[in-house]
Amino acid sequence: MRKRMWLPVCIAMILTFLLTGTAAQAGNTIKVGIVDTYTGPASTYTNDVRDAFKLATDKINAKGGILGKKIEFVTRDDKFKVDIGLSAAKELIMRENVDILMGTINSGLTLAISDLCEKEKIPFLVTFAKSEKITGEKGNRYVFSMNENTAMAGKAGAAGLAKKPYKKYWIAGDDYEYGHAIADSVWNHLKTLRPDVELLGQSWWKVGEPDFTPYITAMLSAKPDAVIIATGGAGCVPFLKASAATGFNKSVPFYMHTATEMSTLAPLGLTAPEGVLGTSNYFYYFPDTPENKAFVKEFKDAYGRPPKVGALYGYITANFIAKAYEKAGEINTEKFINALEGMSIGSPIGELTVRAFDHQVMFPMFMGTTKKVEGYDYLIATDIVTIPGKDLMPSIEDIKKARGVK
Amino acid sequence: MDFASNITLSALFQQSLVGLSRTTILFIVASGLSLILGVLRIPNVAHGSLYMIGAFIMYSINLFFGGGQVGFWIAVLLSPLAVALISLVVERGLFQYLYEREHLMLLLFTFSITLVFGDLVKMVWGSDYRCVDLPAAFQGFFTILGFPFPRYNFFLIITGPVVAFGLWFLTNRTRIGKIARAAAVDREMVGAVGINVSLVFAAVFVIGCFLAGLGGALVAPTQNIRQGMDHAIIIEAFLIVIMGGLGNIWGALLGALIFGLTDSIGILVWPQFAIVFPYVIVVMVLLFYPKGLLKSTW
């Protein structure tokens, strides 16, 4: 009885495979597969990437698409896990026949998918993973980074800190790839800019550490002039919270890469600490240009909330795809990549260019300090200084060295 | 690098105080877990989810009443009750039919509940980080021996002994507490003398989950309320319960003290490798006391 039950099930499954397979091939579209984390804390960043990507593709499709083809996309949830994300990427390539892959916020997973895409010859546009290895040491012909990376953020942070009179530093952060990468990057650049700085000590906590009070009081007892905080994602909010509760921001100045981002500051409301130095790629209130205002209005009308940094990444990715295919003149992967190398597009934050050598978009960085400003129910970045992208890019020599190319 | 260079007596004292405030939360959550484990013999992995739900409900109630003193106190009192209500539904609807199953089945079952609760939280509250603002009286810090100490942590330190006393009173001075203790030792005998064991179990389960909700409500103002906070706490709570002796709430207190203090002192002594300190202590304790520090029944 039981054995016989299996036969119809198997036949049904095979039929479904065949049907969906032919359906995917028959469509006269450009298909983009997005693998990203839609479960857990990271989704507060990734939802904006997807929503802005949809906004941009809807606009492109309404104008008739690219080369007469519409862009469509499918998403897969990687649950922030490398194995799940990698099999999702494989599934998108094999079964959904996607032309392009996009994602993810997990640096480890991104490196794994990048390897896969090199083998399968599928372009992979990275949105959010910040490891500098993606376009540096582990870069390849098929991977492009549509966001800033730890090397660039570190250079920006070091440039800002070097102008301050601080000498004795403490480093504290998340004990994983992102935390160590950004801390090393800030510190190494700071030491070249200011050879007189001194490292008093370091604290490393586990990712997702909920309560930073003991770490802050321990740092205070070492009496540093300034602290470099290398925590990202879910750690930013409770760290700022603990620093406000202990008055840490008033007694010791500190720099944290994503401190000024809206994902970090909005949940804290007006109790967030003032005077924290942070860097970001995007604010919906800066730069105050017509392009940015138009983008913010468009996003707000569609989703009822202002766009966060992820929205910029999603939006430019769609526009880069459209422009690159148009320049290539046909739907051809190799021509698409050749077209994308060195390409520039207009964006809400001004013109952005893909560096031809390493496929890294040359993002400018906005450095500012947190402050209460009338008219906002949360703190925003003020005294914003723009550091141009070309000053932040790792040198081509350094990348060649990291890749072991002579 | 600079091993232990910054340790002064006042820094040590300060760090112990911070550790004690953290101990309070750990104790409240772990004691609930231990109570359920001791009496019902359920390794309730969903305890962490109830803690998370407690924090989210705290956020919503506080928001509803517009924050401030009023919102804060109503939220702290109501959210554990709301969690207790949820747990009552779960117990009467599901758990009461499963007490006779083996441990592994119960473990799998409670694990599946964490997944359900996790998705429910995502559906109700979404994936953005949430924060609870403290009322003005709890904001800011005292300066103790030259170091800042957050006012709210002071409140937590006071809450710890109050909850411990409440639990002592419940288990030693009330009828239900005495029956619960008896049921932990020999549940057949309790049934044999004509007591409705099923109702006792329900009551104990609800009390244990109330504690999870209370822990969540109290911790809410100190961190960001988010998905995934359930997994972080449940691991620590289980370690504490195992270290203290399965099912013994005083063991949970002892375990929480050891865990909380080694954590905060470790951060001061050797910040670069602070992560390992509490776990090393757990290993050491279990090496010498494989069954935990205190007896399983009390």
Side-chain angles (χ1 to χ4, degrees):
Chain A
M1 180 62 197
R2 230 183 218 178
K3 266 186 188 165
R4 249 183 260 162
M5 286 284 287
W6 279 106
L7 197 63
V9 175
C10 290
I11 292 171
M13 274 175 74
I14 290 165
L15 279 177
T16 345
F17 274 117
L18 288 174
L19 282 174
T20 48
T22 46
Q25 277 162 356
N28 189 24
T29 55
I30 296 167
K31 201 160 188 185
V32 180
I34 309 182
V35 181
D36 219 334
T37 309
Y38 297 113
T39 341
S43 45
T44 182
Y45 303 99
T46 54
N47 287 343
D48 266 40
V49 179
R50 181 197 55 205
D51 291 349
F53 184 77
K54 182 171 185 313
L55 195 68
T57 51
D58 282 353
K59 218 161 93 179
I60 294 163
N61 290 343
K63 284 183 193 153
I66 313 160
L67 309 171
K69 288 171 191 277
K70 296 221 180 329
I71 304 182
E72 65 170 84
F73 70 93
V74 280
T75 59
R76 293 287 183 274
D77 184 5
D78 61 37
K79 301 187 163 59
F80 208 70
K81 292 201 169 74
V82 176
D83 52 336
I84 296 177
L86 194 58
S87 50
K90 279 180 188 152
E91 187 249 358
L92 286 173
I93 296 173
M94 308 294 174
R95 291 236 305 107
E96 297 282 344
N97 297 312
V98 295
D99 299 296
I100 293 170
L101 272 180
M102 231 178 104
T104 90
I105 197 164
N106 180 325
S107 289
L109 171 59
T110 299
L111 290 168
I113 296 182
S114 170
D115 267 357
L116 173 74
C117 286
E118 191 184 10
K119 279 189 210 105
E120 299 289 341
K121 304 201 186 309
I122 298 282
F124 179 36
L125 309 183
V126 178
T127 51
F128 239 116
K130 296 188 196 294
S131 169
E132 62 198 69
K133 284 184 190 155
I134 296 165
T135 51
E137 186 191 330
K138 300 274 169 71
N140 65 55
R141 177 168 162 81
Y142 295 89
V143 68
F144 290 81
S145 172
M146 298 282 141
N147 53 268
E148 98 292 21
N149 64 32
T150 48
M152 296 161 77
K155 249 186 176 169
L161 289 170
K163 291 189 194 117
K164 313 263 173 168
Y166 318 133
K167 280 215 170 88
K168 284 187 259 175
Y169 279 89
W170 189 279
I171 290 177
D174 286 344
D175 201 2
Y176 81 128
E177 166 91 28
Y178 172 76
H180 284 281
I182 199 148
D184 288 349
S185 177
V186 176
W187 185 247
N188 292 337
H189 287 119
L190 185 60
K191 261 200 332 213
T192 22
L193 293 171
R194 284 278 301 270
D196 58 336
V197 291
E198 179 194 343
L199 186 61
L200 288 183
Q202 312 175 37
S203 317
W204 294 99
W205 48 70
K206 63 176 185 290
V207 182
E209 172 63 47
D211 184 6
F212 292 99
T213 317
Y215 289 93
I216 286 175
T217 47
M219 277 188 259
L220 282 174
S221 68
K223 300 190 178 62
D225 295 338
V227 178
I228 296 161
I229 303 292
T231 191
C236 297
V237 176
F239 188 86
L240 290 186
K241 203 157 188 158
S243 65
T246 50
F248 184 60
N249 60 311
K250 294 200 180 93
S251 45
V252 181
F254 64 90
Y255 163 76
M256 181 161 92
H257 172 45
T258 52
T260 48
E261 262 170 31
M262 196 181 130
S263 314
T264 310
L265 288 175
L268 287 162
L270 290 172
T271 56
E274 285 190 291
V276 178
L277 191 62
T279 36
S280 176
N281 277 149
Y282 182 70
F283 303 111
Y284 73 88
Y285 45 81
F286 187 91
D288 200 6
T289 55
E291 290 86 8
N292 193 19
K293 277 184 182 150
F295 172 60
V296 172
K297 188 177 177 307
E298 206 182 321
F299 192 89
K300 259 189 181 163
D301 287 348
Y303 301 108
R305 61 173 199 268
K308 289 178 279 209
V309 63
L312 177 71
Y313 301 151
Y315 196 78
I316 62 157
T317 304
N319 287 318
F320 267 124
I321 291 174
K323 198 170 171 191
Y325 272 129
E326 251 154 37
K327 193 176 159 200
E330 60 176 300
I331 308 302
N332 175 306
T333 297
E334 300 306 320
K335 283 187 180 163
F336 170 81
I337 289 171
N338 291 340
L340 198 49
E341 285 180 337
M343 172 170 278
S344 299
I345 57 163
S347 85
I349 59 167
E351 194 182 67
L352 289 174
T353 305
V354 178
R355 185 157 79 174
F357 179 75
D358 59 351
H359 297 182
Q360 172 68 46
V361 174
M362 296 164 64
F363 272 100
M365 203 79 82
F366 306 123
M367 177 175 259
T369 43
T370 57
K371 200 178 172 193
K372 277 179 205 160
V373 172
E374 207 149 318
Y376 293 92
D377 347 334
Y378 41 84
L379 274 64
I380 62 165
T382 54
D383 308 324
I384 298 171
V385 180
T386 307
I387 307 169
K390 60 177 173 31
D391 295 355
L392 298 173
M393 294 292 285
S395 73
I396 290 176
E397 286 70 45
D398 282 350
I399 290 174
K400 277 185 179 162
K401 217 186 284 165
R403 288 183 187 175
V405 183
K406 293 274 152 56
Chain B
M1 171 186 324
D2 310 72
F3 178 71
S5 61
N6 52 335
I7 303 169
T8 56
L9 213 56
S10 54
L12 258 173
F13 177 73
Q14 155 77 12
Q15 206 66 14
S16 315
L17 275 186
V18 174
L20 280 178
S21 58
R22 183 134 185 215
T23 299
T24 298
I25 302 288
L26 291 173
F27 162 64
I28 291 174
V29 176
S31 63
L33 183 68
S34 195
L35 193 68
I36 294 173
L37 192 63
V39 178
L40 281 73
R41 311 276 157 81
I42 295 179
N44 187 14
V45 187
H47 204 68
S49 310
L50 292 163
Y51 162 87
M52 173 169 73
I53 291 173
F56 271 104
I57 293 179
M58 157 89 191
Y59 163 81
S60 291
I61 296 180
N62 184 52
L63 198 70
F64 181 77
F65 286 98
Q69 284 285 357
V70 183
F72 174 78
W73 286 109
I74 293 179
V76 163
L77 296 176
L78 281 189
S79 39
L81 289 175
V83 171
L85 195 70
I86 294 170
S87 71
L88 183 68
V89 173
V90 173
E91 202 277 342
R92 287 290 94 181
L94 298 168
F95 275 107
Q96 67 157 325
Y97 305 108
L98 299 164
Y99 291 137
E100 301 309 320
R101 301 290 174 88
E102 55 187 304
H103 267 82
L104 186 64
M105 294 299 285
L106 285 170
L107 193 70
L108 280 175
F109 181 69
T110 56
F111 180 69
S112 66
I113 298 227
T114 64
L115 299 179
V116 173
F117 278 162
D119 270 6
L120 276 180
V121 164
K122 194 168 123 187
M123 283 160 69
V124 176
W125 284 280
S127 55
D128 281 346
Y129 303 148
R130 309 285 179 176
C131 278
V132 173
D133 287 343
L134 282 168
F138 284 136
Q139 282 178 18
F141 52 90
F142 300 117
T143 305
I144 300 173
L145 298 172
F147 288 106
F149 186 66
R151 289 187 189 182
Y152 186 71
N153 287 42
F154 200 70
F155 167 70
L156 286 180
I157 292 187
I158 300 169
T159 316
V162 172
V163 173
F165 175 78
L167 271 178
W168 171 82
F169 189 83
L170 186 80
T171 50
N172 287 286
R173 288 285 180 275
T174 62
R175 193 177 132 78
I176 178 102
K178 287 175 183 171
I179 297 171
R181 281 165 63 206
V185 183
D186 189 341
R187 72 170 81 163
E188 276 88 17
M189 187 55 86
V190 173
V193 297
I195 292 165
N196 187 340
V197 180
S198 172
L199 279 186
V200 172
F201 279 11
V204 170
F205 189 80
V206 168
I207 292 167
C209 295
F210 174 87
L211 289 168
L214 182 64
L218 287 174
V219 88
T222 67
Q223 48 174 268
N224 65 338
I225 306 158
R226 60 182 176 90
Q227 301 169 58
M229 59 191 285
D230 49 346
H231 297 304
I233 192 83
I234 195 67
I235 295 169
E236 292 181 352
F238 260 114
L239 286 177
I240 286 165
V241 168
I242 291 165
M243 188 161 56
L246 296 173
N248 189 324
I249 50 173
W250 305 121
L253 178 59
L254 196 61
L257 271 172
I258 294 172
F259 198 91
L261 286 177
T262 39
D263 187 38
S264 63
I265 303 279
I267 291 167
L268 180 72
V269 175
W270 206 2
Q272 228 173 327
F273 298 100
I275 300 175
V276 300
F277 277 82
Y279 301 99
V280 168
I281 282 286
V282 173
V283 172
M284 303 268 274
V285 167
L286 291 182
L287 270 181
F288 294 105
Y289 300 91
K291 292 189 160 183
L293 290 165
L294 301 180
K295 273 190 301 186
S296 286
T297 50
W298 76 107

